[in-house]
mmCIF file with all atom_site columns, all heavy atoms in Angstrom:
data_model
loop_
_atom_site.group_PDB
_atom_site.id
_atom_site.type_symbol
_atom_site.label_atom_id
_atom_site.label_alt_id
_atom_site.label_comp_id
_atom_site.label_asym_id
_atom_site.label_entity_id
_atom_site.label_seq_id
_atom_site.pdbx_PDB_ins_code
_atom_site.Cartn_x
_atom_site.Cartn_y
_atom_site.Cartn_z
_atom_site.occupancy
_atom_site.B_iso_or_equiv
_atom_site.pdbx_formal_charge
_atom_site.auth_seq_id
_atom_site.auth_comp_id
_atom_site.auth_asym_id
_atom_site.auth_atom_id
_atom_site.pdbx_PDB_model_num
ATOM 1   N N   . PHE A 1 117 ? -97.453 -70.783 -89.648 1.00 97.00 ? 117 PHE A N   1
ATOM 2   C CA  . PHE A 1 117 ? -96.438 -71.232 -90.586 1.00 97.00 ? 117 PHE A CA  1
ATOM 3   C C   . PHE A 1 117 ? -95.042 -71.195 -89.965 1.00 97.00 ? 117 PHE A C   1
ATOM 4   O O   . PHE A 1 117 ? -94.235 -72.090 -90.202 1.00 97.00 ? 117 PHE A O   1
ATOM 5   C CB  . PHE A 1 117 ? -96.462 -70.420 -91.884 1.00 97.00 ? 117 PHE A CB  1
ATOM 6   C CG  . PHE A 1 117 ? -95.540 -70.996 -92.918 1.00 97.00 ? 117 PHE A CG  1
ATOM 7   C CD1 . PHE A 1 117 ? -95.927 -72.077 -93.679 1.00 97.00 ? 117 PHE A CD1 1
ATOM 8   C CD2 . PHE A 1 117 ? -94.266 -70.480 -93.092 1.00 97.00 ? 117 PHE A CD2 1
ATOM 9   C CE1 . PHE A 1 117 ? -95.066 -72.638 -94.609 1.00 97.00 ? 117 PHE A CE1 1
ATOM 10  C CE2 . PHE A 1 117 ? -93.397 -71.023 -94.019 1.00 97.00 ? 117 PHE A CE2 1
ATOM 11  C CZ  . PHE A 1 117 ? -93.795 -72.102 -94.784 1.00 97.00 ? 117 PHE A CZ  1
ATOM 12  N N   . GLU A 1 118 ? -94.755 -70.166 -89.178 1.00 97.00 ? 118 GLU A N   1
ATOM 13  C CA  . GLU A 1 118 ? -93.459 -70.106 -88.487 1.00 97.00 ? 118 GLU A CA  1
ATOM 14  C C   . GLU A 1 118 ? -93.252 -71.356 -87.633 1.00 97.00 ? 118 GLU A C   1
ATOM 15  O O   . GLU A 1 118 ? -92.170 -71.945 -87.637 1.00 97.00 ? 118 GLU A O   1
ATOM 16  C CB  . GLU A 1 118 ? -93.374 -68.861 -87.603 1.00 97.00 ? 118 GLU A CB  1
ATOM 17  C CG  . GLU A 1 118 ? -93.155 -67.583 -88.356 1.00 97.00 ? 118 GLU A CG  1
ATOM 18  C CD  . GLU A 1 118 ? -93.190 -66.342 -87.463 1.00 97.00 ? 118 GLU A CD  1
ATOM 19  O OE1 . GLU A 1 118 ? -93.819 -66.365 -86.398 1.00 97.00 ? 118 GLU A OE1 1
ATOM 20  O OE2 . GLU A 1 118 ? -92.579 -65.346 -87.866 1.00 97.00 ? 118 GLU A OE2 1
ATOM 21  N N   . GLU A 1 119 ? -94.291 -71.760 -86.935 1.00 97.00 ? 119 GLU A N   1
ATOM 22  C CA  . GLU A 1 119 ? -94.211 -72.949 -86.079 1.00 97.00 ? 119 GLU A CA  1
ATOM 23  C C   . GLU A 1 119 ? -93.994 -74.210 -86.915 1.00 97.00 ? 119 GLU A C   1
ATOM 24  O O   . GLU A 1 119 ? -93.167 -75.050 -86.577 1.00 97.00 ? 119 GLU A O   1
ATOM 25  C CB  . GLU A 1 119 ? -95.502 -73.060 -85.265 1.00 97.00 ? 119 GLU A CB  1
ATOM 26  C CG  . GLU A 1 119 ? -95.491 -74.169 -84.244 1.00 97.00 ? 119 GLU A CG  1
ATOM 27  C CD  . GLU A 1 119 ? -96.767 -74.166 -83.420 1.00 97.00 ? 119 GLU A CD  1
ATOM 28  O OE1 . GLU A 1 119 ? -97.031 -73.158 -82.725 1.00 97.00 ? 119 GLU A OE1 1
ATOM 29  O OE2 . GLU A 1 119 ? -97.494 -75.170 -83.481 1.00 97.00 ? 119 GLU A OE2 1
ATOM 30  N N   . LEU A 1 120 ? -94.734 -74.347 -88.009 1.00 97.00 ? 120 LEU A N   1
ATOM 31  C CA  . LEU A 1 120 ? -94.574 -75.517 -88.873 1.00 97.00 ? 120 LEU A CA  1
ATOM 32  C C   . LEU A 1 120 ? -93.175 -75.557 -89.483 1.00 97.00 ? 120 LEU A C   1
ATOM 33  O O   . LEU A 1 120 ? -92.546 -76.614 -89.517 1.00 97.00 ? 120 LEU A O   1
ATOM 34  C CB  . LEU A 1 120 ? -95.628 -75.524 -89.981 1.00 97.00 ? 120 LEU A CB  1
ATOM 35  C CG  . LEU A 1 120 ? -95.483 -76.654 -90.995 1.00 97.00 ? 120 LEU A CG  1
ATOM 36  C CD1 . LEU A 1 120 ? -95.646 -78.022 -90.326 1.00 97.00 ? 120 LEU A CD1 1
ATOM 37  C CD2 . LEU A 1 120 ? -96.472 -76.478 -92.136 1.00 97.00 ? 120 LEU A CD2 1
ATOM 38  N N   . ALA A 1 121 ? -92.697 -74.432 -89.967 1.00 96.00 ? 121 ALA A N   1
ATOM 39  C CA  . ALA A 1 121 ? -91.352 -74.384 -90.552 1.00 96.00 ? 121 ALA A CA  1
ATOM 40  C C   . ALA A 1 121 ? -90.321 -74.893 -89.554 1.00 96.00 ? 121 ALA A C   1
ATOM 41  O O   . ALA A 1 121 ? -89.449 -75.699 -89.902 1.00 96.00 ? 121 ALA A O   1
ATOM 42  C CB  . ALA A 1 121 ? -91.019 -72.962 -90.998 1.00 96.00 ? 121 ALA A CB  1
ATOM 43  N N   . ASN A 1 122 ? -90.419 -74.457 -88.321 1.00 96.00 ? 122 ASN A N   1
ATOM 44  C CA  . ASN A 1 122 ? -89.503 -74.907 -87.276 1.00 96.00 ? 122 ASN A CA  1
ATOM 45  C C   . ASN A 1 122 ? -89.632 -76.417 -87.040 1.00 96.00 ? 122 ASN A C   1
ATOM 46  O O   . ASN A 1 122 ? -88.634 -77.119 -86.903 1.00 96.00 ? 122 ASN A O   1
ATOM 47  C CB  . ASN A 1 122 ? -89.777 -74.130 -85.981 1.00 96.00 ? 122 ASN A CB  1
ATOM 48  C CG  . ASN A 1 122 ? -88.767 -74.448 -84.915 1.00 96.00 ? 122 ASN A CG  1
ATOM 49  O OD1 . ASN A 1 122 ? -87.561 -74.395 -85.149 1.00 96.00 ? 122 ASN A OD1 1
ATOM 50  N ND2 . ASN A 1 122 ? -89.253 -74.789 -83.737 1.00 96.00 ? 122 ASN A ND2 1
ATOM 51  N N   . GLN A 1 123 ? -90.852 -76.920 -87.023 1.00 95.00 ? 123 GLN A N   1
ATOM 52  C CA  . GLN A 1 123 ? -91.089 -78.353 -86.779 1.00 95.00 ? 123 GLN A CA  1
ATOM 53  C C   . GLN A 1 123 ? -90.504 -79.240 -87.873 1.00 95.00 ? 123 GLN A C   1
ATOM 54  O O   . GLN A 1 123 ? -90.088 -80.359 -87.598 1.00 95.00 ? 123 GLN A O   1
ATOM 55  C CB  . GLN A 1 123 ? -92.589 -78.634 -86.655 1.00 95.00 ? 123 GLN A CB  1
ATOM 56  C CG  . GLN A 1 123 ? -93.205 -78.155 -85.372 1.00 95.00 ? 123 GLN A CG  1
ATOM 57  C CD  . GLN A 1 123 ? -94.722 -78.355 -85.359 1.00 95.00 ? 123 GLN A CD  1
ATOM 58  O OE1 . GLN A 1 123 ? -95.300 -78.946 -86.263 1.00 95.00 ? 123 GLN A OE1 1
ATOM 59  N NE2 . GLN A 1 123 ? -95.365 -77.831 -84.329 1.00 95.00 ? 123 GLN A NE2 1
ATOM 60  N N   . VAL A 1 124 ? -90.492 -78.749 -89.112 1.00 94.00 ? 124 VAL A N   1
ATOM 61  C CA  . VAL A 1 124 ? -89.965 -79.563 -90.212 1.00 94.00 ? 124 VAL A CA  1
ATOM 62  C C   . VAL A 1 124 ? -88.487 -79.285 -90.487 1.00 94.00 ? 124 VAL A C   1
ATOM 63  O O   . VAL A 1 124 ? -87.946 -79.731 -91.490 1.00 94.00 ? 124 VAL A O   1
ATOM 64  C CB  . VAL A 1 124 ? -90.803 -79.439 -91.507 1.00 94.00 ? 124 VAL A CB  1
ATOM 65  C CG1 . VAL A 1 124 ? -92.221 -79.918 -91.294 1.00 94.00 ? 124 VAL A CG1 1
ATOM 66  C CG2 . VAL A 1 124 ? -90.768 -78.044 -92.078 1.00 94.00 ? 124 VAL A CG2 1
ATOM 67  N N   . GLY A 1 125 ? -87.824 -78.544 -89.596 1.00 94.00 ? 125 GLY A N   1
ATOM 68  C CA  . GLY A 1 125 ? -86.388 -78.334 -89.711 1.00 94.00 ? 125 GLY A CA  1
ATOM 69  C C   . GLY A 1 125 ? -85.969 -77.197 -90.621 1.00 94.00 ? 125 GLY A C   1
ATOM 70  O O   . GLY A 1 125 ? -84.879 -77.215 -91.185 1.00 94.00 ? 125 GLY A O   1
ATOM 71  N N   . LEU A 1 126 ? -86.836 -76.200 -90.762 1.00 96.00 ? 126 LEU A N   1
ATOM 72  C CA  . LEU A 1 126 ? -86.499 -75.048 -91.588 1.00 96.00 ? 126 LEU A CA  1
ATOM 73  C C   . LEU A 1 126 ? -86.258 -73.823 -90.727 1.00 96.00 ? 126 LEU A C   1
ATOM 74  O O   . LEU A 1 126 ? -86.917 -73.634 -89.708 1.00 96.00 ? 126 LEU A O   1
ATOM 75  C CB  . LEU A 1 126 ? -87.625 -74.752 -92.580 1.00 96.00 ? 126 LEU A CB  1
ATOM 76  C CG  . LEU A 1 126 ? -87.946 -75.870 -93.566 1.00 96.00 ? 126 LEU A CG  1
ATOM 77  C CD1 . LEU A 1 126 ? -89.150 -75.501 -94.405 1.00 96.00 ? 126 LEU A CD1 1
ATOM 78  C CD2 . LEU A 1 126 ? -86.749 -76.182 -94.439 1.00 96.00 ? 126 LEU A CD2 1
ATOM 79  N N   . GLN A 1 127 ? -85.335 -73.010 -91.149 1.00 96.00 ? 127 GLN A N   1
ATOM 80  C CA  . GLN A 1 127 ? -85.039 -71.750 -90.476 1.00 96.00 ? 127 GLN A CA  1
ATOM 81  C C   . GLN A 1 127 ? -85.660 -70.618 -91.288 1.00 96.00 ? 127 GLN A C   1
ATOM 82  O O   . GLN A 1 127 ? -85.491 -70.548 -92.505 1.00 96.00 ? 127 GLN A O   1
ATOM 83  C CB  . GLN A 1 127 ? -83.533 -71.549 -90.388 1.00 96.00 ? 127 GLN A CB  1
ATOM 84  C CG  . GLN A 1 127 ? -83.131 -70.222 -89.810 1.00 96.00 ? 127 GLN A CG  1
ATOM 85  C CD  . GLN A 1 127 ? -81.629 -70.010 -89.859 1.00 96.00 ? 127 GLN A CD  1
ATOM 86  O OE1 . GLN A 1 127 ? -80.868 -70.900 -90.217 1.00 96.00 ? 127 GLN A OE1 1
ATOM 87  N NE2 . GLN A 1 127 ? -81.201 -68.825 -89.502 1.00 96.00 ? 127 GLN A NE2 1
ATOM 88  N N   . VAL A 1 128 ? -86.385 -69.759 -90.607 1.00 97.00 ? 128 VAL A N   1
ATOM 89  C CA  . VAL A 1 128 ? -86.961 -68.587 -91.268 1.00 97.00 ? 128 VAL A CA  1
ATOM 90  C C   . VAL A 1 128 ? -85.869 -67.530 -91.359 1.00 97.00 ? 128 VAL A C   1
ATOM 91  O O   . VAL A 1 128 ? -85.397 -67.016 -90.349 1.00 97.00 ? 128 VAL A O   1
ATOM 92  C CB  . VAL A 1 128 ? -88.186 -68.046 -90.493 1.00 97.00 ? 128 VAL A CB  1
ATOM 93  C CG1 . VAL A 1 128 ? -88.689 -66.745 -91.132 1.00 97.00 ? 128 VAL A CG1 1
ATOM 94  C CG2 . VAL A 1 128 ? -89.294 -69.086 -90.437 1.00 97.00 ? 128 VAL A CG2 1
ATOM 95  N N   . ILE A 1 129 ? -85.447 -67.223 -92.563 1.00 97.00 ? 129 ILE A N   1
ATOM 96  C CA  . ILE A 1 129 ? -84.443 -66.187 -92.792 1.00 97.00 ? 129 ILE A CA  1
ATOM 97  C C   . ILE A 1 129 ? -85.117 -64.819 -92.776 1.00 97.00 ? 129 ILE A C   1
ATOM 98  O O   . ILE A 1 129 ? -84.586 -63.856 -92.257 1.00 97.00 ? 129 ILE A O   1
ATOM 99  C CB  . ILE A 1 129 ? -83.729 -66.398 -94.143 1.00 97.00 ? 129 ILE A CB  1
ATOM 100 C CG1 . ILE A 1 129 ? -83.048 -67.763 -94.174 1.00 97.00 ? 129 ILE A CG1 1
ATOM 101 C CG2 . ILE A 1 129 ? -82.726 -65.291 -94.413 1.00 97.00 ? 129 ILE A CG2 1
ATOM 102 C CD1 . ILE A 1 129 ? -82.560 -68.158 -95.554 1.00 97.00 ? 129 ILE A CD1 1
#
Side-chain angles (χ1 to χ4, degrees):
F117 187 80
E118 285 175 335
E119 186 177 299
L120 176 63
N122 186 51
Q123 287 175 6
V124 298
L126 299 175
Q127 175 185 354
V128 175
I129 301 169

